[in-house]
Amino acid sequence: MNRRDSIRSLFLGSMVGGLALESCVTSSGETLSKKVWDYQYGRTPEEKAYDEELLNQQFFEDTEIATLTRLANLILPPSPEGTIEEAGVPEFIEFIVKDFPTLQTRMRGGLMWLKNHCNRNYGKAFVQCSEDEQFAVLDQIAYPDPNAKEQKQEVQFFSLVRNLVLTGYFTSEKGIQELGYQGNQPNVWDGVPDDVLKDHGMEYDPEWTSKFLNVDTRNEIAQWDDQGNLIS
Amino acid sequence: MQIIENPTQYDVVIVGSGAGGGMATKILAEAGLKVAVIEAGPFFDPANPEQQTQLKWPYESPRRGAGSTRAFGEFDMAYGGWEIEGEPYNQIGNSKFDWFRSRMLGGRTNHWGRISLRFGPRDFKSKDRDGLGENWPISYEDIKPYYDKVDQLIGVFGSKEDLPNEPDGYFLPPPKPRLHELYYKKGAEKTGVKVIPSRLSILTKRINNERGVCFYCRQCSRSCSVYADFSSGSCLIFPAQKSKGQVDLYVNSMVREVTVNDQGKATGVLYINKEDRQEYRVTGKVVVLAASACSTARILLNSKSAMHPNGLGNSSGMIGHYLHDSTGTDRMAFVPEMMNRKRYNEDGVGGMHLYSPWWLDNKKLDFPRGYHIEVWGGMGMPSYGTAFNPNDLNKYLGLTVGGYGNGLREDVKKFYGSVMGMSGRGESIARYENYCEIDPTAVDEFGIPVLRFNYQWSDYERKQSRHMHDTFEEIIHNMGGIVLGEKPGADKDYGLLNPGRIIHEVGTTRMGSNPDTSVVNEFEQMHDVKNVFIVDAGPFVSQADKNPTWTILALAWRTSDFIIDALKKQNI
């Protein structure tokens, strides 16, 4: 059956089915931030409306975004493989703290700590500090003690920023390329490459070999005998 | 407000469109019957580009795949989750039952793991072995012909193993294991744990011209746009719409109760249309409930009438009781030999390529029943959370943890694909004391009284979970891996997850030959109401350590044949 047939036999419980699709257009419909995001990925109308609501709010102040962007560039300095900006990391962080509101105080409070710390020690904001001064700040907060039961607030803050920066980067197009992930596309899986098996000292169990799929016959329609043995 | 009457008189009204409802729809419509399917969520077709999430990249979303809108990440194809706005449920005392619902055509079949295991001969008669729980009124031989038919209709890959309690079927060939699965196999076999190719309802080979063949994107949880995995909509409901019967789908329609006549016989259902919030009535000669174990119990308990004062078909008082979910706990491992991996596409199918069925004899153990082990890992598609704690594993290598700068890029690349995990999924004991019931103090946004749960694990399940962790640690050690995380102790129930987390809840309308201690007979027909049938997992007497879907499908087919026969003979 084609899609139209299945929709033809679809009965909405009432005649107002179209409303749900319209409801994602809010009163501020014109100002929807398509300037920043234009996503199409199978969201329900409710999810789309929620995303648009978040995209139309701003959580971080400009100075906070500037600080985060600088931090992000220290965590992952620009490389030929890709930059924080190319990966949309600042925009991602702005969105995700609205999506997970429990992150908000930790992020804002951490940024305030950073501001106070730099004011006290250098008499200026973090972004105005020299690179050496910035390194000096990070050296104090970037190394959690792996054996400690709890980490200090500023160390936790930096770990959170580092996590968001790295996950933002490695889920971007550039970051995925750099990571070397090669899937998410139609293909045929026929086992681990021979050289990899050899490198790991592995082989396919000879007793199992006859069980596996012969990928060449996968488009022939399966048939079985009465005992459930595949005969095609 | 008046109830809006639907003038059509159906042969069968089916509530729910997941595995059980889908199968009933297919079989009953093919017999030429006029069928109404009432689904609480919207229409869904995985081939619809507007709904499709398959093959989308994380950067196509502003949240990069995070789980704030859907419990398993925003690309997962379950509209719903453990919490649904406007549809609360409550707990009794310190009970912590987590109830997962998916509101859409096809229900939870759109995102499930496709692990398609038959119950074995022992699973239907477990009480004979350990005196616990209850036996099923049917045996493996009763259901075997239907398992055979389900295999061939829907398609499942696997291998013939001739094991005593893991019956073979009509299998498609399984895919070869991935690298981390070979490590698991090595470690498990050294530990004495059996490993066999997994059994998943994914088409590694074509079974007809309507459905496509797997193209190995590992995204069955997003529901396959070429219908190469089993989802109830694409594999059962859509074909049913093409058959000689009439199938009318009512979506966004939340059933409140089953209506009855003066003789106490069912006449149809009342539902709330979620869009106009009006109440509608649909009538039919037979009502088939397939709303999921707990939703069906809720509908029945809310269907009170003069003839059925405790809820429809509840003269035994058993509805809601014997609720049980699979046991579950997980553990992760770091395998140093899998650092700095050569890159290649190892997506494979959506799920593991091999697993361990239960392999031990309980006589030598301090808990009843068994569990199977699922395996996960590999160089998967990045998503929100990827590269969190990028180099924590350095502590096992004597290297620095934390830091900043481009060394982090190298750390993330170094560890990519070197962490894997295993999950134990086991059989709990069905107990009268674990139940759901109507909470008289609360309604959902549609004004329908909601459920409250009372569920406690016993030491049987806790000890099973402890055994799982002992086994995981031994396997990890034997494959040259490093166990991650602390071993959960007694204070944490040995890592046993909350009931409901494994999403295999069953047993609320259990099957039996005695109407005083069971709700339906062996054909899933209510003892008290002959024209009401239950084809979800409510009738399960026990769980086995098997995922319930394949048994739901086989039983629903068997019940549908019974309904067709009874309608022909005018017996109901």
Side-chain angles (χ1 to χ4, degrees):
Chain A
M1 175 174 45
N2 63 30
R3 184 170 136 65
R4 185 183 297 174
D5 287 339
S6 63
I7 286 175
R8 200 184 301 142
S9 72
L10 160 71
F11 279 63
L12 284 168
S14 76
M15 295 300 119
V16 297
L19 281 183
L21 294 171
E22 299 297 326
S23 65
C24 57
V25 180
T26 61
S27 53
S28 60
E30 294 83 329
T31 64
L32 291 181
S33 50
K34 48 183 169 238
K35 59 188 190 297
V36 189
W37 306 104
D38 189 14
Y39 293 114
Q40 295 299 330
Y41 59 94
R43 286 166 295 181
T44 64
E46 296 78 15
E47 289 167 342
K48 204 170 175 208
Y50 172 66
D51 283 3
E52 281 168 357
E53 187 188 320
L54 295 191
L55 288 165
N56 277 303
Q57 297 166 358
Q58 188 173 347
F59 175 74
F60 288 118
E61 294 164 16
D62 292 348
T63 54
E64 291 173 318
I65 280 287
T67 308
L68 281 170
T69 304
R70 180 62 194 147
L71 282 170
N73 273 290
L74 290 165
I75 289 166
L76 278 194
S79 107
E81 303 266 24
T83 67
I84 291 304
E85 285 78 11
E86 286 169 331
V89 169
E91 294 91 334
F92 161 69
I93 294 178
E94 163 68 22
F95 184 89
I96 208 74
V97 299
K98 292 178 294 204
D99 203 27
F100 291 114
T102 55
L103 296 177
Q104 291 175 1
T105 300
R106 293 166 63 196
M107 290 293 279
R108 176 153 284 155
L111 288 166
M112 277 303 287
W113 174 89
L114 187 64
K115 187 176 170 182
N116 296 340
H117 179 83
C118 292
N119 270 333
R120 196 161 55 240
N121 291 286
Y122 308 106
K124 52 193 168 185
F126 180 74
V127 290
Q128 274 135 17
C129 289
S130 72
E131 201 167 65
D132 281 346
E133 288 165 343
Q134 291 176 342
F135 288 153
V137 173
L138 296 200
D139 286 343
Q140 291 179 45
I141 61 177
Y143 298 93
D145 175 356
N147 298 313
K149 279 220 156 144
E150 53 186 23
Q151 310 290 343
K152 280 198 250 178
Q153 172 283 130
E154 59 268 31
V155 175
Q156 288 187 42
F157 162 68
F158 188 77
S159 293
L160 172 61
V161 176
R162 183 171 47 213
N163 281 348
L164 294 178
V165 167
L166 285 174
T167 207
Y169 180 76
F170 282 104
T171 54
S172 74
E173 191 169 7
K174 287 276 183 184
I176 288 172
Q177 247 170 36
E178 179 172 358
L179 191 61
Y181 170 68
Q182 297 186 6
N184 197 31
Q185 55 182 316
N187 74 109
V188 179
W189 167 258
D190 195 23
V192 180
D194 287 343
D195 60 324
V196 176
L197 283 176
K198 213 171 139 210
D199 274 358
H200 289 265
M202 296 284 184
E203 60 171 357
Y204 283 115
D205 191 336
E207 283 178 35
W208 281 36
T209 311
S210 64
K211 299 171 181 174
F212 294 136
L213 171 70
N214 173 358
V215 297
D216 296 331
T217 61
R218 67 200 196 107
N219 274 307
E220 293 166 19
I221 291 181
Q223 288 180 311
W224 297 267
D225 67 16
D226 292 345
Q227 306 304 309
N229 298 303
L230 196 64
I231 52 173
S232 70
Chain B
M1 192 64 76
Q2 259 190 329
I3 292 170
I4 302 167
E5 305 282 347
N6 186 320
T8 310
Q9 164 80 19
Y10 290 97
D11 292 315
V12 186
V13 176
I14 299 173
V15 181
S17 62
M23 182 58 88
T25 304
K26 170 102 166 53
I27 302 304
L28 297 171
E30 277 181 352
L33 298 176
K34 194 188 283 190
V35 177
V37 180
I38 322 288
E39 165 53 50
F43 182 76
F44 172 72
D45 179 351
N48 175 2
E50 283 165 26
Q51 294 177 304
Q52 184 182 333
T53 57
Q54 190 185 27
L55 297 180
K56 300 295 180 190
W57 292 96
Y59 50 80
E60 292 181 73
S61 151
R63 66 174 59 74
R64 308 287 178 91
S68 45
T69 53
R70 301 185 194 178
F72 292 98
E74 62 179 330
F75 299 114
D76 182 82
M77 200 44 81
Y79 298 166
W82 283 287
E83 305 295 334
I84 297 178
E85 207 179 313
E87 298 188 38
Y89 56 92
N90 296 316
Q91 310 284 346
I92 297 169
N94 64 351
S95 166
K96 282 183 191 142
F97 183 84
D98 295 322
W99 187 22
F100 194 103
R101 292 147 291 166
S102 178
R103 300 288 190 222
M104 64 200 299
L105 190 76
R108 294 179 283 190
T109 65
N110 292 304
H111 87 136
W112 70 304
R114 272 74 179 187
I115 301 176
S116 303
L117 304 174
R118 296 178 178 211
F119 283 22
R122 289 205 309 236
D123 295 324
F124 291 95
K125 307 291 173 191
S126 291
K127 188 182 183 184
D128 290 346
R129 296 197 327 278
D130 55 27
L132 299 169
E134 193 49 80
N135 286 333
W136 290 63
I138 56 172
S139 68
Y140 177 70
E141 292 309 315
D142 293 313
I143 191 176
K144 178 184 183 298
Y146 289 95
Y147 279 135
D148 288 349
K149 291 204 282 188
V150 171
D151 286 358
Q152 293 170 78
L153 174 72
I154 291 174
V156 51
F157 71 70
S159 55
K160 293 211 166 217
E161 301 291 336
D162 203 22
L163 297 170
N165 197 44
E166 316 295 327
D168 296 330
Y170 287 69
F171 291 129
L172 301 168
K176 290 177 187 166
R178 308 175 181 95
L179 185 63
H180 66 275
E181 293 165 333
L182 293 175
Y183 273 93
Y184 171 81
K185 184 168 185 280
K186 187 174 95 174
E189 288 177 349
K190 206 169 157 190
T191 311
V193 176
K194 179 96 185 158
V195 182
I196 65 172
S198 49
R199 297 173 169 184
L200 311 184
S201 45
I202 297 166
L203 303 187
T204 50
K205 188 173 166 65
R206 190 174 289 280
I207 61 161
N208 59 37
N209 288 318
E210 281 71 53
R211 293 174 57 197
V213 179
C214 178
F215 56 75
Y216 301 100
C217 71
R218 202 194 277 202
Q219 293 165 31
C220 298
S221 62
R222 302 184 184 191
S223 201
C224 186
S225 58
V226 302
Y227 304 165
D229 59 19
F230 169 64
S231 298
S232 177
S234 50
C235 300
L236 297 172
I237 306 265
F238 300 162
Q241 289 176 312
K242 282 198 291 189
S243 70
K244 62 179 174 174
Q246 178 184 330
V247 178
D248 291 347
L249 294 183
Y250 294 81
V251 296
N252 291 317
S253 301
M254 184 87 177
V255 171
R256 194 186 71 199
E257 63 182 86
V258 177
T259 54
V260 294
N261 63 16
D262 295 343
Q263 288 78 49
K265 213 174 152 187
T267 55
V269 302
L270 282 176
Y271 69 86
I272 315 294
N273 179 318
K274 286 180 168 177
E275 281 148 24
D276 65 7
R277 293 183 181 264
Q278 304 290 322
E279 208 171 353
Y280 291 76
R281 189 201 312 271
V282 175
T283 57
K285 293 178 201 157
V286 172
V287 172
V288 172
L289 295 170
S292 83
C294 296
S295 283
T296 290
R298 178 185 177 199
I299 291 167
L300 290 168
L301 293 170
N302 275 329
S303 305
K304 288 181 182 164
S305 61
M307 293 288 287
H308 301 281
N310 301 321
L312 188 67
N314 195 27
S315 65
S316 64
M318 293 295 154
I319 293 179
H321 291 272
Y322 300 102
L323 168 65
H324 60 300
D325 186 23
S326 294
T327 60
T329 192
D330 314 306
R331 204 69 183 274
M332 284 164 70
F334 165 46
V335 184
E337 283 177 78
M338 289 204 292
M339 287 193 301
N340 296 308
R341 291 184 58 181
K342 182 181 170 179
R343 305 298 199 247
Y344 54 92
N345 180 351
E346 67 164 2
D347 278 350
V349 303
M352 71 252 183
H353 291 188
L354 49 67
Y355 84 115
S356 292
W358 178 235
W359 69 100
L360 289 173
D361 179 354
N362 293 89
K363 282 183 195 131
K364 298 165 193 156
L365 299 167
D366 63 353
F367 61 88
R369 315 292 165 93
Y371 60 89
H372 70 252
I373 302 175
E374 303 172 7
V375 190
W376 35 278
M379 299 184 287
M381 178 155 51
S383 183
Y384 179 77
T386 293
F388 271 17
N389 308 322
N391 55 16
D392 274 12
L393 296 171
N394 270 344
K395 76 173 175 184
Y396 299 108
L397 308 171
L399 300 172
T400 305
V401 170
Y404 56 94
N406 277 330
L408 293 174
R409 293 179 193 261
E410 302 316 312
D411 282 334
V412 171
K413 288 185 266 188
K414 173 174 75 179
F415 291 120
Y416 179 52
S418 67
V419 171
M420 55 178 291
M422 45 205 78
S423 301
R425 298 289 181 256
E427 178 174 3
S428 64
I429 301 294
R431 302 208 317 274
Y432 179 82
E433 296 75 23
N434 287 338
Y435 61 90
C436 57
E437 65 178 11
I438 298 299
D439 183 344
T441 68
V443 292
D444 65 12
E445 68 165 298
F446 310 106
I448 306 172
V450 305
L451 288 178
R452 62 185 178 191
F453 291 88
N454 186 51
Y455 197 121
Q456 304 291 341
W457 289 124
S458 75
D459 280 345
Y460 294 143
E461 290 82 26
R462 293 186 192 100
K463 286 176 178 169
Q464 198 184 71
S465 188
R466 181 172 65 185
H467 192 271
M468 291 180 194
H469 280 279
D470 290 342
T471 307
F472 297 158
E473 292 194 348
E474 203 178 335
I475 292 173
I476 292 167
H477 174 75
N478 281 333
M479 66 190 198
I482 295 168
V483 180
L484 298 178
E486 292 285 308
K487 186 181 214 163
D491 58 323
K492 295 195 168 112
D493 278 355
Y494 303 103
L496 187 59
L497 296 168
N498 282 352
R501 283 327 272 195
I502 311 304
I503 323 182
H504 293 164
E505 73 282 1
V506 305
T508 50
T509 55
R510 75 170 179 175
M511 176 189 290
S513 39
N514 181 352
D516 293 334
T517 57
S518 62
V519 178
V520 297
N521 67 19
E522 67 158 296
F523 291 102
E524 303 186 305
Q525 179 181 35
M526 292 197 94
H527 290 304
D528 298 351
V529 197
K530 296 298 177 198
N531 67 338
V532 176
F533 295 81
I534 301 172
V535 300
D536 51 34
F540 280 39
V541 179
S542 62
Q543 166 80 276
D545 65 82
K546 321 285 172 64
N547 309 49
T549 305
W550 226 238
T551 303
I552 293 174
L553 290 165
L555 287 173
W557 195 329
R558 185 170 182 262
T559 295
S560 300
D561 281 354
F562 179 87
I563 293 171
I564 292 163
D565 192 52
L567 279 174
K568 259 187 219 150
K569 293 178 184 156
Q570 299 188 314
N571 271 348
I572 45 178

